[in-house]
């Protein structure tokens, strides 16, 4: 089923974590997908929330400006009293989740989010594994619970198609072809 951007949210965990792994490899810091994440809010109004380790000064300005930071431990994300009202206020039912580390905080946050009734979609291109060998295991476990991997590119196209607006669809197709 296509996600509606009016009922979607992007949640990124530990976006600027930088110890014990190649922090420059994180997709938002390395330059990959940089024009895509701001398009979520600029074109569709989809809220983007950073949770956990987040230092906006290490991100490109356009990305940092599009992200709201919620200072909470990613493992306590669903128990934080600020998150639920934020999601209810935006009428969010689908959460596109990514960040570091896939086989740790992202895995637990995804499973807990699904347990709380959210349709969780894993942004695999914005998720970094501490140990790359664990990536397939984490993805298989998530899929077992109905949490499937997607990409930010696929999410943008999905939102565009769900809007049935030719101008928005063309704009997204142009952005994706860059």
């Amino acid at each position: 089923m296509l996600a509606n951007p009016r009922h979607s949210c992007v949640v990124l965990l530990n976006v600027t974590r930088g110890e014990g792994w190649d922090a420059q490899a994180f997709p938002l810091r390395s330059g990959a997908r940089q024009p895509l994440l701001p398009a979520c809010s600029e074109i569709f109004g989809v809220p983007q929330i950073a949770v956990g380790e987040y230092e906006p000064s290490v991100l490109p300005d356009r990305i940092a400006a599009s992200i709201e930071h919620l200072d909470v431990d990613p493992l306590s994300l669903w128990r934080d009293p600020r998150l639920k009202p934020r999601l209810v206020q935006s009428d969010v039912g689908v959460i596109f989740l990514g960040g570091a580390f896939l086989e740790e905080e992202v895995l637990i946050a995804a499973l807990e989010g699904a347990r709380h009734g959210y349709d969780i979609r894993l942004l695999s291109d914005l998720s970094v594994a501490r140990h790359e060998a664990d990536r397939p295991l984490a993805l298989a476990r998530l899929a077992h619970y109905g949490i499937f991997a997607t990409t930010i590119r696929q999410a943008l196209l999905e939102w565009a198609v769900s809007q049935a607006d030719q101008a928005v669809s063309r704009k997204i197709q142009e952005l994706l072809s860059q």
Side-chain angles (χ1 to χ4, degrees):
M1 174 175 357
L2 295 177
N4 185 323
R6 289 184 213 103
H7 304 289
S8 298
C9 181
V10 173
V11 176
L12 300 171
L13 309 180
N14 301 318
V15 176
T16 56
R17 177 178 269 171
E19 57 185 74
W21 63 290
D22 183 6
Q24 292 306 315
F26 194 85
L28 296 181
R29 294 172 76 176
S30 67
R33 295 159 201 82
Q34 284 188 8
L36 301 180
L37 195 60
C40 297
S41 59
E42 293 169 0
I43 297 172
F44 297 107
V46 172
Q48 299 164 92
I49 302 170
V51 174
E53 295 178 37
Y54 178 69
E55 181 55 51
S57 65
V58 301
L59 296 174
D61 292 340
R62 190 165 168 227
I63 289 177
S66 71
I67 297 175
E68 169 190 347
H69 181 230
L70 184 60
D71 189 19
V72 63
D73 174 28
L75 294 176
S76 303
L77 173 65
W78 303 107
R79 291 187 302 274
D80 188 83
R82 297 167 292 173
L83 181 65
K84 186 170 184 172
R86 174 73 174 91
L87 297 176
V88 168
Q89 171 192 356
S90 300
D91 196 24
V92 170
V94 181
I95 296 177
F96 290 82
L97 182 69
F101 291 116
L102 172 61
E103 72 278 29
E104 297 170 12
E105 289 98 329
V106 176
L107 173 75
I108 299 304
L111 293 172
E112 279 291 294
R115 189 173 69 84
H116 280 84
Y118 293 101
D119 178 357
I120 305 290
R121 318 264 176 104
L122 177 76
L123 290 169
S124 63
D125 58 336
L126 297 182
S127 296
V128 176
R130 183 186 305 261
H131 302 287
E132 200 56 38
D134 290 339
R135 178 179 282 275
L137 298 172
L139 292 174
R141 183 168 179 202
L142 291 170
H144 177 75
Y145 290 100
I147 301 167
F148 299 104
T150 189
T151 65
I152 195 67
R153 298 173 65 84
Q154 291 169 350
L156 289 167
L157 193 55
E158 183 173 337
W159 291 330
V161 170
S162 78
Q163 296 299 288
D165 181 328
Q166 291 294 330
V168 170
S169 290
R170 277 192 300 277
K171 189 172 191 173
I172 292 301
Q173 288 173 331
E174 289 172 11
L175 181 64
L176 296 180
S177 69
Q178 295 176 4

